[in-house]
Amino acid sequence: MNQFNYVIVGSGSAGLTFALKAAEQGSVAIVTKRSRSDSNTAWAQGGIACVTSDEDSMELHVRDTLVAGDGLCNEEVVRTILKEGPACIAELVSCGMDFDKRTNENGKNELDLGKEGGHSKRRILHARDRTGFEIEQTLIAAVLRHPNITLLENHMAVDLITTEKLGEKNGPIRCVGLYVFDEKKECVETIRTDVTVLATGGCGKVYLYTTNPDIATGDGIAIAWRAGAAIANMEFMQFHPTCLYHPKAKSFLISEAVRGEGGLLINSAGERFMEHYDSRRELAPRDVVARAIDAEMKKRGDECVYLDIRSKSPIFLQQRFPKIYETCLHNGIDITQEPIPVVPAAHYQCGGIKTDLHGTTSIAGLYAIGETAFTGLHGANRLASNSLLEALVMAHRAEAHARGEYHHQDPMALPAWHSGDAQDLDERVVIHHNWDEIRRLMWDYMGIVRTDKRLQRATTRLKNLEMEIRDFYWNFKISADLLELRNLVTTAQLMVQSAMSRKESRGLHYTLDYPEHDPELCRDTIILKT
Ligand code: SIN
């Protein structure tokens, strides 16, 4: 049995930030299921929203966040996270992160601030259109230098070990360790720890079309759920309005910053259409823009709409959006000469493992941070680029709390994993079939526009799939694919169950059966295992 003071599952910005702080106190293991930089963070293009300019104010950022959140943000959480953002960003900069600068009209060097939908001011700190990648590299370099951190790549968390599972009936449930699958050795290891942190990112892969990397299978949410943690607001999946529509470019995001720099949405007839849907046009919050695109495509029977940024010079586009420029060109689209075909795609889960402002969950010793967590910041719709900020701030806050609460507890022997007489799965193809089925049915029945009937269909199909997957899990040797599939189906079920229970439309949850807000339902959806 391995033992660490802190075990962090996930190697994105939240997990790595926590690890660096915790390593000043004790031994740390980072469990990451692929390579160290495979994370949602590494794919984030836009940047970090933060008030740094004299023309901006904290009140305006708070107001924009609350407006986007459509009545469901927790204002105390919003104010705390936005207020503590600048100090956390300063620490990231001291670690080596370099945000883009520009020379202003007085010849002074200042941060080059981007603009995105729902923001009333320019306030997005960015590194061209590769912000997440640069943050990830900066943090990983620091982690690799740290003697107290053990990086376990190709290791996937299977389940938490809680006092309840160990048979303790009295007192609150406490997490005391976890089972981790070593993909190379094909075996499950037991890890004892004082503090477990779930920082596994999002769950975009429950959908057929997503801007997320392959690792985004809702692992943290499913693992926490199985252990008995409360899960909140899973109906609020954010669809990004502009994912590249191209048969060969999988999941490639066209950053909202392109619209922030003047990109216009046009239909296949070359007409702008956003003004028919919202007075804020291309820079309305994401839920509004994604629904408008969906409606326009359905109305016209088109497979995509187009984003036109030809108003900007080629040199500007190549310097400001090098990744988008190069990726589109590689796929035969010269963005300086032609509009970019785009469609909405699943992008960000606003719900997750319910935490307080210290990242603690309903299980003692278990923390959740980053996209896998639900703090109350995003409400019914996340304001663009608020999530990296949340990841950094909550990593700092959770680490400060864990330091005081759980450090250096007595060692406790934990049972080894038993694989019993599990067989090799003879037909691996069934895993891929089930995976495809979940992603397709979620896209068709739990997409941008919902109805009770569609959600009911999704419920029935997911139930059947869950039973089949449970059978594979108990009877066959586990693999990373099977573990991901198991997490994917659980996450999808939590999403549909939450959507079924919200009999109104709010933020990202839009249903034709209840198209208006219901003030009585202006509250979070909390799901607890019965
Ligand atoms: C984008 O660049 O459009 C994504 C930013 C975000 O999701 O916050």
Side-chain angles (χ1 to χ4, degrees):
M1 183 179 77
N2 292 314
Q3 181 150 343
F4 298 91
N5 296 120
Y6 303 86
V7 174
I8 297 140
V9 186
S11 57
S13 51
L16 296 175
T17 303
F18 187 107
L20 284 168
K21 307 286 296 176
E24 292 162 18
Q25 307 301 315
S27 58
V28 174
I30 300 175
V31 171
T32 187
K33 65 180 179 178
R34 304 266 202 285
S35 76
R36 58 190 76 156
S37 55
D38 279 317
S39 64
N40 281 66
T41 294
W43 283 37
Q45 294 181 2
I48 307 189
C50 187
V51 175
T52 55
S53 133
D54 292 343
E55 283 159 36
D56 197 2
S57 74
M58 202 53 88
E59 272 317 303
L60 285 175
H61 193 180
V62 168
R63 195 196 65 193
D64 294 345
T65 302
L66 297 178
V67 169
D70 205 7
L72 271 197
C73 298
N74 177 328
E75 190 165 339
E76 186 202 346
V77 171
V78 173
R79 289 188 180 278
T80 306
I81 291 179
L82 301 194
K83 192 167 113 239
E84 295 182 10
C88 296
I89 290 174
E91 203 165 311
L92 186 62
V93 170
S94 72
C95 216
M97 177 65 195
D98 196 13
F99 290 104
D100 285 1
K101 317 272 183 326
R102 65 176 200 120
T103 311
N104 69 16
E105 39 298 340
N106 304 322
K108 276 178 68 187
N109 227 11
E110 62 181 20
L111 284 164
D112 178 41
L113 300 174
K115 193 162 191 311
E116 292 179 1
H119 289 274
S120 54
K121 294 285 175 192
R122 281 190 173 267
R123 63 168 74 99
I124 318 294
L125 279 67
H126 63 92
R128 296 158 303 281
D129 57 356
R130 295 153 51 95
T131 314
F133 177 82
E134 299 293 343
I135 293 175
E136 185 76 16
Q137 294 308 310
T138 304
L139 292 171
I140 281 178
V143 159
L144 292 178
R145 288 193 296 269
H146 210 297
N148 279 357
I149 304 180
T150 304
L151 191 54
L152 299 170
E153 293 178 287
N154 301 304
H155 281 66
M156 183 167 176
V158 180
D159 270 319
L160 302 175
I161 306 173
T162 60
T163 45
E164 187 186 55
K165 285 191 190 162
L166 296 177
E168 275 187 36
K169 297 277 176 275
N170 300 324
I173 306 180
R174 168 179 294 277
C175 179
V176 290
L178 63 168
Y179 291 116
V180 171
F181 178 63
D182 178 338
E183 209 183 337
K184 292 259 159 73
K185 292 196 198 140
E186 294 191 8
C187 67
V188 177
E189 292 164 1
T190 307
I191 303 184
R192 162 84 183 101
T193 179
D194 303 327
V195 173
T196 305
V197 182
L198 294 173
T200 52
C203 59
K205 292 302 277 189
V206 301
Y207 284 99
L208 190 56
Y209 302 111
T210 174
T211 62
N212 290 185
D214 287 347
I215 49 107
T217 51
D219 301 335
I221 292 167
I223 288 170
W225 165 252
R226 284 194 292 271
I231 309 291
N233 282 10
M234 292 295 288
E235 64 273 41
F236 298 115
M237 165 56 78
Q238 184 171 71
F239 290 81
H240 196 290
T242 57
C243 180
L244 179 63
Y245 178 69
H246 191 282
K248 292 208 178 108
K250 195 174 116 191
S251 309
F252 186 68
L253 178 71
I254 307 295
S255 174
E256 186 149 335
V258 173
R259 274 175 285 134
E261 296 298 343
L264 302 178
L265 286 166
I266 53 176
N267 60 25
S268 56
E271 296 155 356
R272 282 183 76 180
F273 57 85
M274 273 310 300
E275 64 215 50
H276 305 310
Y277 297 90
D278 193 283
S279 58
R280 292 161 291 184
R281 301 181 187 188
E282 278 80 2
L283 289 179
R286 282 195 187 154
D287 56 333
V288 176
V289 182
R291 266 198 305 279
I293 294 177
D294 187 64
E296 191 71 11
M297 281 164 48
K298 286 194 174 123
K299 191 168 86 186
R300 300 180 58 84
D302 289 341
E303 291 193 332
C304 64
V305 296
Y306 297 85
L307 183 57
D308 190 350
I309 185 68
R310 288 175 294 175
S311 57
K312 289 288 183 191
S313 71
I315 191 79
F316 173 85
L317 293 176
Q318 284 158 19
Q319 283 173 357
R320 175 67 178 84
F321 301 114
K323 186 157 175 65
I324 294 174
Y325 172 76
E326 278 154 26
T327 306
C328 287
L329 201 60
H330 178 75
N331 286 291
I333 302 157
D334 181 351
I335 68 169
T336 68
Q337 304 297 322
E338 59 196 305
I340 311 164
V342 290
V343 283
H347 182 62
Y348 189 91
Q349 173 56 261
C350 295
I353 307 161
K354 185 169 166 20
T355 73
D356 64 7
L357 257 172
H358 303 291
T360 69
T361 66
S362 52
I363 297 180
L366 178 68
Y367 293 77
I369 49 176
E371 187 172 345
T372 198
F374 162 83
T375 59
L377 171 68
H378 307 308
N381 179 32
R382 178 184 64 113
L383 183 67
S385 288
N386 263 357
S387 40
L388 284 172
L389 189 75
E390 183 191 43
L392 296 180
V393 172
M394 290 307 297
H396 281 257
R397 293 183 71 83
E399 190 279 331
H401 186 273
R403 191 183 288 199
E405 291 285 299
Y406 298 111
H407 204 211
H408 302 310
Q409 292 189 14
D410 291 339
M412 175 197 278
L414 299 181
W417 175 264
H418 283 294
S419 51
D421 54 1
Q423 311 289 305
D424 279 323
L425 186 59
D426 44 0
E427 288 193 334
R428 300 195 78 80
V429 71
V430 289
I431 292 187
H432 300 291
H433 283 168
N434 283 0
W435 182 292
D436 289 346
E437 207 174 325
I438 294 168
R439 299 185 67 199
R440 164 70 67 187
L441 79 85
M442 287 295 281
W443 187 258
D444 288 344
Y445 301 140
M446 169 74 193
I448 297 174
V449 177
R450 300 159 185 176
T451 64
D452 275 354
K453 205 165 156 192
R454 289 179 203 164
L455 293 175
Q456 192 50 58
R457 281 192 193 129
T459 306
T460 312
R461 283 164 174 72
L462 285 169
K463 183 76 209 143
N464 290 337
L465 282 159
E466 191 235 335
M467 283 178 344
E468 204 167 304
I469 293 163
R470 197 180 322 155
D471 181 59
F472 296 153
Y473 179 76
W474 287 113
N475 294 315
F476 297 101
K477 283 196 185 137
I478 60 174
S479 63
D481 283 356
L482 182 51
L483 292 175
E484 284 186 335
L485 180 66
R486 176 177 174 242
N487 292 338
L488 207 69
V489 76
T490 301
T491 306
Q493 285 183 302
L494 292 169
M495 292 168 78
V496 175
Q497 187 183 337
S498 303
M500 285 284 277
S501 71
R502 187 170 288 283
K503 305 290 187 203
E504 63 159 355
S505 290
R506 184 179 297 278
L508 299 159
H509 175 68
Y510 182 75
T511 160
L512 295 174
D513 294 322
Y514 315 94
E516 306 298 333
H517 281 164
D518 180 345
E520 297 283 305
L521 298 177
C522 189
R523 55 174 181 258
D524 297 326
T525 309
I526 313 285
I527 312 188
L528 283 165
K529 214 167 160 193
T530 44

